[in-house]
Amino acid sequence: MVKSLKYKNIIFGSLLLLLTIPLMSLYVWLLFNSINEKPLYSLIPKNPGFRSWIQLFSRLPEASGMPTSIFPIIKNTIIIAGGVMLLDLFVCSLAGYSISRLKFKGKDLLLSFLLIMKAFPLLILLIATYFVLFYLRLLNTFLSVILARTAMELVMGTWIIKGFFDSIPREIEESARIDGATKFTLWRKIMIPLVKPGLIAVGVMAFIAGWSDFIFVYTFIFDQSKWTLSVFLYSLISSQESVDYNFLATVSIFYMIPTLLLYSFAQKGLTKGTLGGGIK
Amino acid sequence: MKRIIPYFFILPLLLLIFLFYIIPAVSTVYISATDMGRSLKGNFVGIKNFTRIFSVEDPVIGRVLLNTLVYLSGALIITIIGGLLLAIATTTLTNRWGSFFRIIWFLPRATPPVVWAFLWIWAFDPSRYGLLNMIFNQIGLQGRSWLTLYPMAIVILANGILGIPYTMTILSAALSNIPLEILEAAKIDGASGWRTAVTIKIPLIWWPLSFLIIWYTLSFLTSFQYILMITGGGPFYASTPLALYTYNKAFQNMELGYGSALALVLIALSVVIILAFRKLLGVKRET
């Protein structure tokens, strides 16, 4: 029995390794290049050093038509990510509550519509969205990206937060209502604190979505002064001038550190929330 | 007053749905019947955009549709088979190793799209600094310009592998919900591990599996950003599926009218494929 289990482990382990090594090597390649002075052409970093990391935070490498400092770009990225997070939380916590707790006409219709929305990615409507944003005079603004991104994220967020509201016993609300609280104070003072783990998870996911967005910034924003990290990195990659691989690797690593950290954090919060959210 | 209050709560959601789903959906139909270009003002042209798609007027459309089919089936096979293999393997392995692999395979999901695209561009870079060419040089082979030689294969790999983590997560959860007694019984009856996987495990996770197939079909049909970044659809439309063709027509050639018509065809295609899959996979509304 024990022997067969060991044998099985070896087979599955090597199958997994075979599939995983190529994936890992992509990331290792990126990491090693970012901490080497010259682009690698073997697997071992022969001239380790932080040249490109220092460049990233001082003066960006000279290239025609490229920004000279990373800080405005980071700021823009944070504005969009933060904007998506706040708007998404606002919309989803209100909508999740009303779907979970309130009665209103057209609720079933809304629910099935949300499902269709989830299935049909917004990108199919990108051309018309561009058209709408043009008429709203929102093209080339951060707001256009924030709104479009939030619209894409809100189905998931509403669904998760609705689930958290569902798990709260109704007695809690009832006692507050007897004390004479209005629906709005009830929502703000009693319900919101109870679904905090859900809000944190949804907020973090929305922040990551805004932080990593490429296609909306690329399509809706024209000014270089409004570039985010994604469009900056893409312009570096697709630029016709000779490529500084070490610097590209460094920008990539720097760009993905927050998403990695937040993702693992949200993952933990989400499981904890769904497991511990229901009060005994 | 009491009846109105719920609508205040739902209002922001409705507003966003209205602005970003309903108006765009209606506008797509409207724009597709015009010759709208850079100025965002168009004249009504009726069904001219559609006849352009379905006649020989657009010489590349046949190529694009074929690409769509190849890209969709390739990426779908990698996502589903890869995710299934990983799910079965990680749930069978002892916990520590299982979670080690799960952590590694969670990386692609946490990687921003541009970085993910860059990883692949760089891996197949034509210079000696590309990962694959570096390996080729080390073992004494000549490097190649992979991205022009095999653009479609690379694009399929990059998109297909990106789907594996989610497929793996969903299927692992489904697999660990299979009651142990069933597996014990199979073992007592002398079924091999492979047979257990095919005849017991897969039928028991059929519902999440078919959900994933339909989900990723839609996703691959409509997503184009990785292809846009990795090959740009080239060389000469070699890696351009319908979704990217739509985007390029609209935002590179600024033919918004024609682009919208293509988008409508894409939507129609998605609906047809999903209905076909539902029938094929026997997806019913179950609990």
Side-chain angles (χ1 to χ4, degrees), chain A residues 8-157:
Chain A
K8 215 184 213 171
N9 273 344
I10 290 168
I11 290 192
F12 277 122
S14 31
L15 173 77
L16 279 174
L17 269 181
L18 211 68
L19 287 169
T20 309
I21 284 173
L23 180 75
M24 274 180 77
S25 55
L26 291 178
Y27 287 94
V28 170
W29 191 236
L30 198 68
L31 185 66
F32 280 2
N33 264 290
S34 88
I35 52 167
N36 203 44
E37 300 280 315
K38 291 179 199 152
L40 292 177
Y41 47 91
S42 70
L43 262 180
I44 307 118
K46 283 182 185 131
N47 319 77
F50 291 97
R51 175 201 36 104
S52 49
W53 282 95
I54 294 163
Q55 269 180 318
L56 180 67
F57 292 113
S58 52
R59 210 181 148 72
L60 300 179
E62 293 278 335
S64 60
M66 284 292 164
T68 48
S69 166
I70 192 78
F71 295 107
I73 302 173
I74 297 176
K75 194 187 88 194
N76 295 344
T77 317
I78 293 177
I79 290 175
I80 288 183
V84 174
M85 180 179 81
L86 293 179
L87 187 62
D88 194 46
L89 278 178
F90 175 71
V91 176
C92 296
S93 57
L94 283 171
Y97 177 67
S98 62
I99 291 173
S100 167
R101 284 299 203 265
L102 308 177
K103 282 189 201 121
F104 56 92
K105 259 187 194 154
K107 190 161 150 182
D108 291 334
L109 189 72
L110 180 71
L111 284 179
S112 39
F113 196 77
L114 282 179
L115 272 179
I116 297 173
M117 274 167 54
K118 190 82 202 86
F120 272 99
L122 187 57
L123 287 181
I124 265 187
L125 302 174
L126 193 64
I127 301 168
T129 307
Y130 184 85
F131 177 75
V132 171
L133 289 169
F134 171 79
Y135 277 100
L136 291 174
R137 302 272 183 278
L138 282 177
L139 283 180
N140 201 20
T141 64
F142 290 138
L143 193 58
S144 65
V145 179
I146 294 174
L147 286 172
R149 249 302 136 183
T150 308
M152 219 168 160
E153 300 301 314
L154 53 75
V155 183
M156 196 63 167

Side-chain angles (χ1 to χ4, degrees), chain A residues 102-104 177 181-183, chain B residues 1-9:
Chain A
L102 308 177
K103 282 189 201 121
F104 56 92
R177 201 172 294 156
T182 65
K183 278 222 167 64
Chain B
M1 186 60 200
K2 258 199 164 160
R3 276 160 185 251
I4 299 175
I5 289 172
Y7 294 101
F8 279 113
F9 280 90

Side-chain angles (χ1 to χ4, degrees), chain A residues 16 20 27 122 134 219 245 259, chain B residues 20 40 86 105 110-111 122 247:
Chain A
L16 279 174
T20 309
Y27 287 94
L122 187 57
F134 171 79
T219 313
Y245 288 97
T259 59
Chain B
F20 288 94
L40 293 180
L86 278 164
W105 276 92
T111 306
W122 200 1
Y247 183 84

Side-chain angles (χ1 to χ4, degrees), chain A residues 229-248:
Chain A
L229 282 165
S230 62
V231 177
F232 172 59
L233 179 59
Y234 178 68
S235 321
L236 285 178
I237 296 167
S238 54
S239 109
Q240 298 301 315
E241 292 178 43
S242 69
V243 198
D244 179 348
Y245 288 97
N246 305 110
F247 184 66
L248 279 179

